[in-house]
Amino acid sequence: MTSTLETTVVDLATTSVRELNAELHAPRATHYSVEHPQGAHAVAAGVATPITVDVRGHAGYYAAGMNDGGTITVHGNAGTGVAENMMSGTVRVAGDASQSAGATAHGGLLVVEGSASMRCGISMKGVDIVVGGDIGPMSAFMAQAGRLVVCGNAGADLGDSIYEARLYVRGTVGSLGADCVEKEMRAEHLAELAELLTAAGMPHDPAEFRRYGSARRLYHFAAHNTY
C-alpha cells in the first residue's frame, strides 16, 4: 500500500482483500486506487464513508456490496451481486455486470455502462439502477421501490411480482412478469428519467423509453386463493 498527496494505491497482487477492506472501513485517505483486482471477490465491500475508490480491472462477486456513501468505480466487468444491499453513494461498472446487480439495494445510484445479466435489481428497495445495454430475464423481480432504467433490451419476465418500483426500457421487452404492465409516460416520468440519464452520463432521449410498473392485482386478498 503506497500513498501520494492525493491517492492511496493498494495493489491486490501483494495486499489481501481483507486488508484492503479494513483500510476502506477506517480510511486514512479520501481516494483509493485498487490495482490488479484480477476478479477478486468482495472488493470494496462495506464502505461507509464518502471516499472515492477506483478498482482498476475486473471484480468478482459482491464488489461494492453494502456501499453507504462511497463513490466506487469498477474499471472493468463485475461479477454476481455488484452493489448488493447498497444504502447510498454511487457505484459504476465501466463494463458488464453479472447476475443480481443491485440486489436488495435500498438507495444510491448503480450505473452499469455495459449490459447486466439476469435478476438485475431483484428485490430492489429504493436504489436507482441505470444500465447502458441490455438486462437478462427475471430482472426487477419483487422490486419494491426505486427506479430501473434500461437503455437497451430487457429479457423475459421483467418485473415479476413487482411492487412500487418504476421501470423504464428503451428497447424491447422479452415478456412481462406477473402483475407487471406497461404504464403511461407522463411529464413527471419524463422529468425523472431525464435526471437519471444525466446522472448516469447516458445521452438518450427520455421520449424513447416506455414505462412499466405494478398493476396492483397481487395486493389484495381473494377468497378463492385460500386453501
Side-chain angles (χ1 to χ4, degrees), residues 102-199:
T104 74
H106 289 249
L109 172 66
L110 168 62
V111 179
V112 179
E113 294 182 3
S115 294
S117 187
M118 64 190 303
R119 301 190 184 94
C120 178
I122 183 173
S123 195
M124 52 191 281
K125 295 177 172 66
V127 67
D128 290 325
I129 303 175
V130 181
V131 179
D134 304 329
I135 59 172
M138 290 299 293
S139 290
F141 172 62
M142 294 188 70
Q144 294 161 44
R147 287 83 60 92
L148 171 61
V149 178
V150 184
C151 299
N153 303 320
D157 298 316
L158 176 69
D160 190 89
S161 303
I162 191 173
Y163 288 82
E164 289 302 308
R166 291 177 177 174
L167 314 180
Y168 298 98
V169 181
R170 181 168 171 259
T172 61
V173 174
S175 63
L176 295 174
D179 210 39
C180 186
V181 295
E182 184 173 355
K183 294 195 167 187
E184 178 187 4
M185 280 282 277
R186 299 192 297 270
E188 66 263 32
H189 305 124
L190 292 169
E192 76 170 10
L193 180 54
E195 291 179 1
L196 288 167
L197 290 168
T198 298

Side-chain angles (χ1 to χ4, degrees), residues 9-30:
V9 178
V10 182
D11 190 342
L12 290 186
T14 56
T15 303
S16 71
V17 172
R18 183 183 293 273
E19 291 173 304
L20 165 67
N21 287 340
E23 170 68 23
L24 298 181
H25 296 165
R28 292 170 288 182
T30 57

